[in-house]
Amino acid sequence: MRTTSKTLAVIATVAALTSACGTQPKPGTPDAANLPAVQDSAAAAAPSDGAPAGSNAQGRIPKKLGEAAGFTGQDGKTQAVTFSIDKITVDPKCDEYMNRAAGTHTLVLDVRVATEQLSPEDAAQLGATINPFAFQTVADGVTAPVNAGSCKVMSLKRLPNTWASNSKYTGQIELEVPAKSGTLALIPGGLTNAGGGWEWSY
């Protein structure tokens, strides 16, 4: 059969489509469950495609305190952000003149964050993820939203409002929650679509 330029163009197109159909990770997806703990620098992770390995029925990855979580950058290949919740303090003594709302409880999260090279989209997702309003609690099978707390307003070691590439941060997040114990869930980017994110027992 004589090979024409039109035939060669079709073959090249099919080859390109076949190559593009590999299992490439989706940008911004949560890390695999075996991501190593955060040390002095950001931990590298193997991004995952679809439901992350080790996720539960809600699509979230259970984490222990101090265990790293994170997400890949917009390129879908490199780890953009690694973070951990190192400690959860329940109902600490409130600052002078401050108090918690009746019928609620206070959680203070000690958080570490390490960034790699961030695109503007990565930085925006980080800001929307490490954010009080991206959290939910689950207690007795009931999922509830949380609010920013008003108990430790004066003494809280706050995280920054903006994020730089190749940087490390430590700070605290205060949450006002309905239950004294349960599961704390973090939805990446504050998204409300099903699946994704991480959770910690408290």
Side-chain angles (χ1 to χ4, degrees), residues 111-135:
V111 181
R112 281 185 293 162
V113 179
T115 65
E116 298 289 342
Q117 190 64 36
L118 297 179
S119 69
E121 294 80 9
D122 297 333
Q125 181 173 341
L126 173 55
T129 299
I130 308 299
N131 185 303
F133 304 103
F135 288 91

Side-chain angles (χ1 to χ4, degrees), residues 40-123:
D40 293 332
S41 60
S48 58
D49 187 25
S55 59
N56 59 19
Q58 288 72 42
R60 297 189 292 264
I61 302 173
K63 291 289 183 180
K64 298 177 181 179
L65 294 178
E67 187 178 2
F71 54 83
T72 57
Q74 292 298 308
D75 63 5
K77 299 177 181 179
T78 58
Q79 186 82 358
V81 174
T82 305
F83 68 90
S84 67
I85 296 177
D86 293 335
K87 182 180 179 182
I88 301 177
T89 303
V90 181
D91 286 343
K93 182 180 178 180
C94 292
D95 295 338
E96 189 176 8
Y97 308 119
M98 299 291 108
N99 54 56
R100 63 180 59 91
T104 67
H105 298 274
T106 300
L107 302 182
V108 174
L109 317 180
D110 285 78
V111 181
R112 281 185 293 162
V113 179
T115 65
E116 298 289 342
Q117 190 64 36
L118 297 179
S119 69
E121 294 80 9
D122 297 333

